[in-house]
Amino acid sequence: MGKFFVDKERCMTTVFIGSDHAGFEYKATVLRFLQDKGFKVTDCGPAAKERCDYPDFSSLVCKELQKDPKALGVLICGSGIGMSISANKHKGVRCGLAHDYFTAINSRAEGCNCIALGERVIGIEVAKQIINSFLTCLLYTSDAADDLLCVDLGGRRIIKKK
């Protein structure tokens, strides 16, 4: 294993967030949470909790990610499954479905630039932990270019072979 250095291209701070009606309440809470933490966050909708189709808002987030490859996306629906499937149909978007800290960090280590979660599946505090972990973990690559090291702000490490 080689010497590791911070992969600055993969340490991003611009966030695009979207939901459907089933994820609307969490989206509003997460939006404020991320703004309070200093992230530049763009709300891609919806603007109200009225019934809507998740692919419409998943597509809006994905189009922004395609324009800004250094940005990250957050998608929230009832289960997270529909949003993740919809997002993964877009070229250049790799969306992981997360339901805990471990899946959030591993999504980043596996190269995801977007994360999906379900308002009906997890509590809001877990949702905040998942999103914060996904957005703030530091990614390192080795000078040997054969390993990826993902370190969260608590110092926990995950090493993946490329």
Side-chain angles (χ1 to χ4, degrees):
M1 192 171 354
K3 182 177 176 183
F4 286 94
F5 59 92
V6 175
D7 189 344
K8 292 181 182 173
E9 289 297 308
R10 295 180 72 185
C11 295
M12 307 147 198
T13 57
T14 301
V15 181
F16 295 97
I17 188 168
S19 73
D20 65 1
H21 59 281
F24 183 79
E25 290 181 21
Y26 274 22
K27 182 187 66 129
T29 302
V30 167
L31 186 67
R32 285 189 305 277
F33 171 74
L34 293 176
Q35 289 169 334
D36 290 346
K37 288 196 157 290
F39 287 96
K40 178 185 172 192
V41 186
T42 300
D43 184 351
C44 294
K49 193 179 175 173
E50 298 166 3
R51 191 172 235 353
C52 59
D53 295 328
Y54 65 84
D56 296 339
F57 297 98
S58 171
S59 291
L60 292 174
V61 170
C62 292
K63 287 175 184 173
E64 294 299 330
L65 294 177
Q66 289 171 327
K67 288 190 259 183
D68 184 356
K70 295 182 180 182
L72 292 172
V74 175
L75 298 169
I76 307 169
C77 65
S79 67
I81 296 168
M83 284 287 203
S84 64
I85 291 170
S86 177
N88 282 315
K89 292 180 180 183
H90 293 266
K91 185 177 181 178
V93 176
R94 294 161 312 284
C95 184
L97 174 60
H99 53 269
D100 59 19
Y101 168 84
F102 181 77
T103 53
I105 295 296
N106 271 283
S107 292
R108 280 302 299 282
E110 293 294 340
C112 291
N113 58 352
C114 188
I115 196 163
L117 46 117
E119 183 171 324
R120 297 174 180 156
V121 179
I122 57 174
I124 188 61
E125 293 305 318
V126 172
K128 288 181 195 176
Q129 180 194 40
I130 288 169
I131 294 166
N132 190 58
S133 299
F134 179 75
L135 297 177
T136 61
C137 68
L138 297 175
L139 297 172
Y140 298 81
T141 55
S142 79
D143 55 5
D146 57 355
D147 296 310
L148 175 71
L149 173 65
C150 183
V151 180
D152 73 2
L153 295 181
R156 292 171 281 227
R157 301 162 43 118
I158 299 168
I159 297 177
K160 297 275 187 183
K161 295 287 184 189
K162 285 188 178 176

